[in-house]
Amino acid sequence: MGSPERAVPALALTFALLAGCGDRPRATRADAADAGRDQPWFIDAAPQSGLIFTHFNGMSGDFYYPEIMPPGVALFDYDNDGDLDVFIVQGRMLGDKPLGAAMFPPRDPSSLRGRLFRNDLEIHADGTRTLHFTDVTELSGIDARGYGMGAAVGDFDNDGCADLYVTNLGSNQLFRNNCDGTFTDVTKASGTAGSGWSVSAAFVDFDRDGRLDLFVGHYLNYRVTENIQCFGMAGGPDYCPPHVYTAQPSRLYRNNGNGTFTDVTAAAGMAGEFGPALGVATADFNGDGWIDIYVANDGQPNQLWINQRNGTFKNAALLAGAALSADGEAKSSMGVDAGDFDNDGDEDLFITELTGQGVDLYVNNGSGVFEEQSARTGLRLASLPSTGFGTAWLDVDNDGWLDLLTVNGAVTQNVGAVARHETFSLQQRKQLFRNTGQGRFEEVTERAGAVFRQADVSRGAAFGDIDNDGDIDVVVGTASGPLRLFVNNVGQRKHWIGLRLVGQQTRRDMLGARVAIVRSDGVTVWRRSRSDGSYASANDPRVLAGLGDSSTPPTVRVLWPDGRAEQWRGVAIDRYTTLQQGSGTATERAGR
Amino acid sequence: MSGRATPIALLALSLSCGGSREPMPPGRHALRPVALPDLSRASESVARQLRDAHVSLTRTLAEVSRTDAELGRAYGQMAMLLMAAEYRDEAEACFLDAQGLAPDEVRWPYYLGHLYKARGETLKSAAAFAQALRLQPDDPPTLVWLANAYLDQGRPEAAEPLLNKVLAQQPRSAVALFGLGRAALARSDYRGAVQRLEQALSLAPQAALIQYPLALAYRGAGDLDKAEAHMRQRGPGELRPPDPLMLELDRLLESAVAYEVRGAKALDDRDWKAAAASFRKGIELAPNEPSLHHKLGTALFMSGDARGASEQFEAALRLSPTFAKAHYSLGVIMGASGRPREAIQHLSAAVRDDPTYAEARLRLGDVLRRSGRAAESLPLYEQAETLDPRTADAPLGYALALVTLRRYQDARARLIAAMDGHPDYAVFAHTLVRLLAAAPDDRVRDGRAAMTLMQQLLAKEPQTPEIDEVMAMTLAELGQYGEAITRQREAMAAAERAGRPDRARQMAANLALYERHLPCRTPWTDEDALMPW
């Protein structure tokens, strides 16, 4: 670990791939599969595209717990030019040791702050793409110099420009997007600084007032000066497990609409139950049209906060079967995502776990009652050797079925590797699981590309269509390592539909809006606009759904977060379409 | 990263134990020399153990007269130690060599099964356990572990015959029944799961971890009431088969951490003596480790040796003067032994050294309140509640402090808010009823509200002397003295029967009031009875 970055010039990367013009014959499912066997599904385009960043976790041999937790990443279109930009948090030294005592000192100590990379995507007339990123941190005014953990994105002031919330060890920061390429730190004024240690956060309009509120997952009561020394069985020092510290209560902030937020955690009924929160996903889990909040806690029961529709929540996780493993074990629960993997119209949950614990797949029965089925679906076996962090449901090959991608990295040292003098020996490979469409998953990591076989200490992962070619790409944050950009090579071989769902009064992304895409073959695929989920990261809020071989423009029905529903017929495929609330045909909020 | 060139490291070059991951064919010529990993990061005691074992193995290897079985044993012993110290790659290679030399020895595939399990390599784990089973077909722990591996693979139908085999040998095996219950759940056979898990629970009622899957089974079967009831009783823990081989391995390592882990396990099992013994051994190896002293103190305290416990907590503090938990523990002991000044001193230190220590703030608040310093306790209760809103003790303590300060209206408001925030904690209702029935402040008393609450409590809880006493207060407040007298007498009689004559004597004062048709105006005669230290 800590391998030096190769000095690759920041060349623009030109793709010889065709984008959604629709004028070339689409590969069949079999063709795509065959092609996939020969060609990597993902390639790492970070260095060539200028996305050059190495995370610094400040490790100096003292095994400070926070060293193993970040970094999270964010994908969001900060400049509203139609493509996704990248933000990643940065670390700093912990404790009293000077920078020179760091095991892997940063090349440029003055650059130790969270960084914003602007995507200067060019789509040429022939459909080829040039991906190029420019570090615009200085220009942006984002001054995030704390010990960064993760990021959440949402337009909290409804001005049409996505804002950024950075979680830290210490106070968090809220950066308001000024819509001119710059941001202003409005943390103090907003009242969302918090304190302590936060990891994942999510913007969510829980009270249907049209304004995005903010849920912040807090982790542990921890102070660097009181860092506890832990040891492995052989007596060598190692990182501690979470139970040596106590959990910190998470926070729910209600947006007051005037640039300020009010901490309504207690008023919302959420103060009495909490754990060391790592992953957060918001979705309507019980199908009543109101957004709920799922919190994955490290070593303690998870919470499923069901929206009571009156400003309060009730934790239904235990009886819903989503708090613990099937055996009643409180697992480590790092990354989480909600998605309809079985196309039955409800939101299922997937959670990444520690080596030996196996992932969790909580299958929703439609009313917010879950059954854990990771073993039955084939996920458990392949996941047992890994410690997973960032993750998401994504239709990698656009066949209409949601697949799973996990980025992995251990949290305690491989003693044998330490004996071989491998520092920070936590590296693990990433994994890709393809949904067979028959209630099972097959691991296809070997086909996914060399980038998946590269072992990293992966943490945050943000998912989105970075090159706007109709398939989901991934940006991965590596603890004490390079930022990775995995560009998807296969999804655009199938038909797809891309939707940006924006509000009526404001053009902000309507996070939480659910979409039913009714294909010509009668199959309805449900997706959701969301930026939360994964681990400490923020995703592309656009909806991208694979249509497989279906080439007929489908009917799209949107269930807006405020409870209204609209429909559009014949929505164009193989391109992105913006659907503004109020511009469709009002319809009943039928089905899921 | 390049390694430092130490003699041991040089030996390690390309000469790891076995080297390959396939079982070695029989024959010494196929074996490779054994080398140790770099032990510079291991504790001295572990390094010594591994070096000694390595010397022993090397000597055995050099003796050509040794049989394959003896050599296999030597490799196996080395492997066990490496596995206990978590050098799993090296251990694997040694086990494979041992297995190659002694293919009929069940231990080596058995340990390999566990090693692969620890690495999450389920298929390999299952293969190794299957091999062990071929050598020892009816071994219950092997059957259970292989069944678990099949469950991990989503193959409950393969797991069940193995667990049934265990049951055939050991009809009262809670572990096998638990496994069968899990298998039934995996097949969505909820009624079958209920049956098996209920059986497991009846055999191991203390195994709280059975409650959760049982709750899910009832839920699946449509019985939500039972599901909720079992959900409330769920708890952590493990249900493992008696496993002598793993016990042997777990006891192998001579490291302070290993003893600390063993001790912690014993604490979980409430085996205070075993816990203390383990911690003492750990202290022998690491005498300057404050957490070991603290844990030993905890074990001694739980076994009733408060003096011994204090000595250990003090030892921890000598080693680490800002060790908040040690201060807390001493504060608890001082408070329990009627030394509030020392208790306050230590609890204050705990709070100072760890400002996030909610429990320490809570306890300090309690001691201050009981020592006549109730006003000073208020901010501590508030801070404890802010740090951990889950705990009901903080708002309760705050309310009691208000009562002590005769701020009855504020106390009532606090208790009403606390009932909303902690609906599952009946103690708030109990406390509020007393206030409503008997507070000296006319503005606070409300006999009807007290009676409404009483009836809610009676609907949920069994009759106790305390309930009868409070009911009597309420009846008296409503002017129903005849019934109040009856209830108070019942309470006194019940207290006598429960072996608490002192309590009965305390209640006599109120009885006298009711007999004179006077209501009670002292909600508590001894608040310690309500909030035991």
Side-chain angles (χ1 to χ4, degrees):
Chain A
M1 197 49 246
S3 55
E5 274 290 356
R6 280 177 292 154
V8 175
L11 299 172
L13 176 66
T14 302
F15 288 100
L17 300 170
L18 297 175
C21 308
D23 55 355
R24 285 191 76 177
R26 291 283 162 188
T28 62
R29 185 184 174 86
D31 290 344
D34 288 338
R37 284 198 193 96
D38 301 331
Q39 194 173 343
W41 291 10
F42 289 87
I43 58 165
D44 185 2
Q48 306 93 310
S49 63
L51 205 56
I52 296 179
F53 174 92
T54 301
H55 178 253
F56 174 69
N57 70 352
M59 61 183 175
S60 56
D62 289 333
F63 292 88
Y64 289 117
Y65 194 133
E67 291 167 7
I68 53 170
M69 302 308 286
V73 291
L75 276 175
F76 69 122
D77 185 5
Y78 88 94
D79 52 359
N80 280 337
D81 65 348
D83 53 46
L84 294 169
D85 313 295
V86 176
F87 174 81
I88 181 166
V89 299
Q90 184 55 287
R92 53 191 293 169
M93 285 303 284
L94 292 169
D96 295 331
K97 287 184 180 171
L99 202 56
M103 296 181 85
F104 305 107
R107 277 199 202 130
D108 178 10
S110 68
S111 71
L112 283 183
R113 59 198 271 198
R115 308 226 57 101
L116 178 66
F117 293 89
R118 187 186 64 217
N119 187 350
D120 298 324
L121 174 70
E122 287 180 62
I123 301 177
H124 306 291
D126 61 355
T128 56
R129 280 146 162 73
T130 302
L131 247 187
H132 176 65
F133 288 89
T134 304
D135 187 336
V136 294
T137 310
E138 302 293 339
L139 287 171
S140 74
I142 293 177
D143 195 17
R145 294 181 196 266
Y147 197 91
M149 285 290 144
V153 170
D155 180 5
F156 79 88
D157 53 357
N158 284 345
D159 64 355
C161 300
D163 310 297
L164 177 70
Y165 188 75
V166 178
T167 57
N168 291 312
L169 173 68
S171 294
N172 301 325
Q173 290 176 283
L174 177 61
F175 295 98
R176 187 192 65 220
N177 191 334
N178 299 319
C179 295
D180 61 359
T182 69
F183 290 77
T184 301
D185 187 337
V186 295
T187 311
K188 200 169 171 193
S190 71
T192 59
S195 64
W197 188 356
S198 317
V199 179
S200 286
F203 282 98
V204 54
D205 182 6
F206 78 89
D207 52 4
R208 283 191 177 186
D209 65 355
R211 296 188 288 258
L212 288 175
D213 311 294
L214 178 64
F215 179 86
V216 183
H218 282 249
Y219 191 42
L220 298 170
N221 283 311
Y222 174 87
R223 291 176 301 154
V224 172
T225 50
E226 299 299 324
N227 187 68
I228 296 172
Q229 274 298 315
C230 291
F231 302 90
M233 291 297 276
D238 207 341
Y239 292 102
C240 287
H243 66 76
V244 304
Y245 300 96
T246 53
Q248 236 188 13
S250 294
R251 295 276 168 230
L252 179 66
Y253 296 98
R254 190 189 64 226
N255 189 336
N256 299 320
N258 59 359
T260 69
F261 289 75
T262 300
D263 184 341
V264 294
T265 313
M270 295 173 116
E273 293 179 76
F274 59 89
L278 284 181
V280 177
T282 64
D284 177 13
F285 291 106
N286 60 351
D288 68 352
W290 289 72
I291 300 177
D292 313 303
I293 303 174
Y294 186 82
V295 184
N297 294 314
D298 191 353
Q300 293 187 27
N302 302 329
Q303 277 107 29
L304 174 61
W305 291 109
I306 297 294
N307 197 325
Q308 301 299 294
R309 317 185 210 177
N310 60 0
T312 70
F313 290 82
K314 232 176 180 169
N315 178 16
L318 267 178
L319 205 52
L324 305 165
S325 74
D327 298 338
E329 181 194 354
K331 293 160 78 171
S332 300
S333 306
M334 285 76 79
V336 59
D337 198 15
D340 185 12
F341 88 95
D342 48 6
N343 279 347
D344 65 352
D346 53 44
E347 306 281 2
D348 310 297
L349 278 162
F350 177 78
I351 304 169
T352 52
E353 302 286 358
L354 275 189
T355 297
Q357 291 185 335
V359 297
D360 306 290
L361 174 63
Y362 292 120
V363 181
N364 194 336
N365 74 349
S367 56
V369 174
F370 297 83
E371 195 168 83
E372 208 291 305
Q373 294 189 8
S374 60
R376 190 185 299 185
T377 55
L379 283 169
R380 179 171 172 76
L381 183 63
S383 68
L384 281 166
S386 304
T387 294
F389 277 81
T391 186
W393 292 107
L394 72 163
D395 189 354
V396 170
D397 51 5
N398 279 341
D399 65 353
W401 295 95
L402 286 174
D403 312 299
L404 278 165
L405 191 153
T406 68
V407 299
N408 304 318
V411 293
T412 52
Q413 304 212 88
N414 177 317
V415 173
V418 169
R420 296 189 292 273
H421 300 277
E422 294 166 20
T423 311
F424 205 54
S425 57
L426 310 178
Q427 295 85 344
Q428 291 183 345
R429 296 168 23 153
K430 297 134 197 82
Q431 287 177 289
L432 186 62
F433 300 95
R434 186 178 158 272
N435 188 336
T436 65
Q438 281 150 18
R440 287 192 63 84
F441 292 84
E442 55 174 357
E443 186 176 6
V444 292
T445 304
E446 295 304 318
R447 276 190 262 164
V451 292
F452 275 73
R453 292 191 290 280
Q454 157 114 46
D456 282 326
V457 188
S458 301
R459 294 296 184 248
F463 296 78
D465 188 1
I466 286 181
D467 50 4
N468 284 343
D469 65 348
D471 51 33
I472 300 290
D473 314 297
V474 193
V475 173
V476 183
T478 309
S480 189
L483 185 58
R484 304 277 188 208
L485 167 56
F486 296 167
V487 173
N488 187 333
N489 271 338
V490 297
Q492 358 86 359
R493 296 188 190 132
K494 294 272 187 191
H495 292 297
W496 56 279
I497 182 168
L499 302 167
R500 191 172 172 226
L501 308 175
V502 299
Q504 188 165 16
Q505 308 297 334
T506 162
R507 283 189 66 82
R508 75 158 169 90
D509 292 289
M510 296 302 278
L511 303 177
R514 297 198 69 215
V515 184
I517 298 151
V518 186
R519 299 196 317 222
S520 57
D521 57 4
V523 170
T524 299
V525 164
W526 283 88
R527 299 288 181 262
R528 186 177 88 255
S529 168
R530 62 97 165 91
S531 70
D532 55 46
S534 188
Y535 170 79
S537 297
N539 303 296
D540 181 359
R542 297 176 297 180
V543 169
L544 196 157
L547 299 175
D549 297 321
S550 175
S551 58
T552 307
T555 295
V556 170
R557 190 164 76 242
V558 178
L559 310 185
W560 299 102
D562 64 4
R564 290 182 281 172
E566 288 178 286
Q567 186 169 284
W568 289 259
R569 291 192 188 281
V571 180
I573 65 168
D574 302 333
R575 52 170 286 184
Y576 283 95
T577 303
T578 296
L579 301 179
Q580 184 167 23
Q581 186 172 6
S583 69
T585 306
T587 183
E588 280 184 15
R589 200 182 173 89
R592 304 236 191 237
Chain B
M1 299 282 289
S2 59
R4 285 169 292 171
T6 65
I8 291 175
L10 282 171
L11 260 180
L13 285 174
S14 77
L15 291 180
S16 64
C17 198
S20 77
R21 293 290 178 264
E22 296 301 320
M24 285 292 180
R28 311 262 178 113
H29 64 278
L31 295 172
R32 291 168 202 172
V34 176
L36 282 174
D38 188 312
L39 299 175
S40 56
R41 304 235 187 144
S43 70
E44 184 46 46
S45 55
V46 169
R48 189 168 51 242
Q49 263 187 296
L50 286 166
R51 283 190 208 110
D52 289 348
H54 179 250
V55 164
S56 173
L57 174 58
T58 308
R59 274 203 201 115
T60 307
L61 264 172
E63 294 171 25
V64 293
S65 60
R66 295 285 192 156
T67 63
D68 277 357
E70 285 170 329
L71 206 46
R73 211 157 31 242
Y75 268 100
Q77 292 292 335
M78 185 79 234
M80 286 171 67
L81 206 46
L82 286 165
M83 180 170 165
E86 296 180 327
Y87 293 99
R88 292 195 181 116
D89 293 347
E90 290 81 358
E92 179 194 10
C94 273
F95 276 130
L96 289 170
D97 279 345
Q99 195 177 337
L101 286 161
D104 294 334
E105 171 56 63
V106 69
R107 284 185 291 167
W108 315 136
Y110 185 80
Y111 284 127
L112 272 170
H114 277 285
L115 187 150
Y116 291 133
K117 180 173 173 301
R119 293 210 298 227
E121 295 172 27
T122 304
L123 292 176
K124 281 183 170 177
S125 175
F129 282 130
Q131 172 61 18
L133 211 55
R134 280 190 281 277
L135 295 170
Q136 210 165 303
D138 296 323
D139 182 56
T142 311
L143 287 164
V144 168
W145 295 119
L146 183 53
N148 282 350
Y150 287 145
L151 287 174
D152 280 343
Q153 294 173 45
R155 298 170 58 194
E157 71 291 341
E160 281 163 329
L162 303 178
L163 294 164
N164 279 321
K165 215 172 173 183
V166 175
L167 217 50
Q169 297 176 55
Q170 300 172 355
R172 295 179 62 78
S173 168
V175 173
L177 287 162
F178 180 61
L180 284 166
R182 290 172 59 212
L185 261 180
R187 288 188 289 101
S188 301
D189 173 11
Y190 303 114
R191 297 211 181 277
V194 164
Q195 187 189 8
R196 290 303 197 182
L197 292 169
E198 283 283 17
Q199 284 174 308
L201 194 59
S202 69
L203 291 168
Q206 76 290 353
L209 86 157
I210 299 176
Q211 300 281 4
Y212 183 81
L214 180 54
L216 292 184
Y218 273 117
R219 187 192 73 170
D223 191 337
L224 290 183
D225 287 340
K226 284 213 169 123
E228 279 187 56
H230 284 286
M231 201 64 83
R232 275 194 291 274
Q233 298 176 70
R234 67 170 182 83
E238 280 184 295
L239 201 55
R240 301 164 70 102
D243 197 338
L245 286 178
M246 283 308 288
L247 201 57
E248 185 185 342
L249 189 134
D250 286 343
R251 288 181 176 161
L252 216 48
L253 208 61
E254 290 286 318
S255 78
V257 173
Y259 279 114
E260 192 166 356
V261 168
R262 282 174 222 149
K265 234 176 180 177
L267 278 179
D268 284 343
D269 294 337
R270 306 181 72 80
D271 187 347
W272 317 125
K273 206 170 159 188
S278 287
F279 294 135
R280 283 194 205 283
K281 283 268 175 112
I283 288 171
E284 280 173 29
L285 292 168
N288 296 328
E289 179 49 56
S291 74
L292 275 167
H293 288 278
H294 180 258
K295 287 189 168 77
L296 174 56
T298 303
L300 292 171
F301 180 78
M302 296 305 292
S303 60
D305 180 3
R307 179 185 286 186
S310 294
E311 285 169 5
Q312 291 304 319
F313 296 142
E314 277 157 9
L317 283 173
R318 281 193 294 276
L319 291 165
S320 175
T322 58
F323 192 177
K325 282 186 179 166
H327 274 300
Y328 171 83
S329 300
L330 272 170
V332 168
I333 289 182
M334 298 300 164
S337 52
R339 293 157 67 180
R341 199 159 50 161
E342 289 100 318
I344 289 169
Q345 194 183 344
H346 281 292
L347 291 168
S348 299
V351 166
R352 180 197 63 225
D353 294 335
D354 185 354
T356 66
Y357 203 163
E359 189 64 23
R361 283 180 196 272
L362 187 59
R363 290 292 168 222
L364 180 54
D366 287 344
V367 177
L368 286 168
R369 177 169 57 81
R370 291 165 191 276
S371 309
R373 295 162 68 175
E376 292 172 63
S377 73
L378 291 173
L380 286 158
Y381 287 127
E382 270 191 316
Q383 289 151 11
E385 189 174 6
T386 301
L387 284 167
D388 191 349
R390 293 171 297 191
T391 174
D393 287 348
L396 179 62
Y398 194 98
L400 291 176
L402 290 171
V403 169
T404 306
L405 293 166
R406 302 188 197 288
R407 290 168 52 183
Y408 299 110
Q409 282 187 297
D410 292 338
R412 184 181 67 183
R414 269 285 171 159
L415 288 167
I416 290 170
M419 280 175 64
D420 273 341
H422 301 273
D424 294 333
Y425 284 82
V427 67
F428 294 114
H430 280 266
T431 312
L432 182 57
V433 169
R434 283 182 181 264
L435 217 52
L436 293 170
D441 190 335
D442 292 345
R443 297 167 297 177
V444 171
R445 284 196 319 277
D446 184 338
R448 286 203 183 142
M451 181 55 78
T452 304
L453 256 185
M454 269 314 307
Q455 276 159 356
Q456 287 169 9
L457 285 171
L458 282 168
K460 288 184 206 167
E461 295 181 18
Q463 203 164 342
T464 61
E466 197 253 351
I467 290 253
D468 280 335
E469 184 188 14
V470 179
M471 185 55 140
M473 280 182 194
T474 306
L475 288 162
E477 174 61 18
L478 290 169
Q480 296 168 29
Y481 292 106
E483 291 172 73
I485 290 165
T486 305
R487 280 286 187 159
Q488 190 72 359
R489 285 185 180 145
E490 280 172 7
M492 291 167 70
E496 292 275 4
R497 284 194 300 273
R500 297 172 62 194
D502 54 327
R503 197 78 190 94
R505 277 193 294 278
Q506 281 174 343
M507 291 185 199
N510 278 354
L511 177 63
L513 285 172
Y514 306 151
E515 286 167 342
R516 283 153 49 204
H517 284 209
L518 291 170
C520 171
R521 289 293 175 258
T522 47
W524 290 273
T525 53
D526 179 359
E527 65 181 294
D528 281 356
L530 185 63
M531 190 111 166
W533 181 256

